[in-house]
Amino acid sequence: MPAEIPAPAVAAAWIALNLSPTNDLPLWAAHWLAEGEDGEHLRHLAGLSRTEPREIHDVQQSALADCHTPIPTAADAAKVAFTHLARLLLNGHLSERALLNDLHTIIVRTNYSDSVVKLPLAQAWMLDEEWDQGWGRPEEQIKEAVHAACQAQLDHTSRANPT
């Protein structure tokens, strides 16, 4: 089953965290165009090849501006990225190990910001050590804890942004 195409806000979050998904941006831009977004830079990005990372990097912020999506602060980006990762894991597009690796990277990139480490998903970030070192809970219980933290992140986001 293919992974979902994230919203422009998710791409902006990854860029803010210096984790730009350069290889995926042209494909995502093409989907955003198909969904009704438009703009010169967005069309240019959608036409680029994965083999043009410098050009993708040069146009990514302007293309997101075409989508009316500014680059957020690192702390705000972490919130968006955590919610996206939680959704990916719960939809079967990401493994627990991959999520824990990404989680660790994001927390480090935000310099252990209080607002980030207090988020529900951040509560799982040390589980990778428990898993890697072989102490503590069995692997299945660690996976259950990761899933619970993901659900808590989505619940938190729903409460913070009611529709």
Side-chain angles (χ1 to χ4, degrees), residues 80-160:
V80 171
F82 281 6
T83 300
H84 180 68
L85 291 172
R87 190 172 290 115
L88 286 176
L89 182 119
L90 294 176
N91 289 337
H93 297 296
L94 189 66
S95 71
E96 294 85 0
R97 289 292 236 174
L99 181 136
L100 291 173
N101 287 337
D102 289 345
L103 187 59
H104 182 80
T105 300
I106 292 166
I107 289 171
V108 169
R109 294 279 170 113
T110 61
N111 202 26
Y112 307 91
S113 166
D114 285 342
S115 66
V116 174
V117 297
K118 289 179 182 175
L119 292 169
L121 189 54
Q123 305 315 300
W125 85 290
M126 295 301 285
L127 291 176
D128 62 337
E129 288 187 15
E130 190 173 335
W131 198 336
D132 289 339
Q133 302 301 319
W135 55 267
R137 295 171 274 190
E139 183 176 317
E140 281 310 307
Q141 286 181 4
I142 294 171
K143 287 181 178 182
E144 288 171 10
V146 170
H147 281 256
C150 286
Q151 188 59 57
Q153 181 67 38
L154 295 181
D155 293 345
H156 172 78
T157 301
S158 294
R159 284 190 306 277

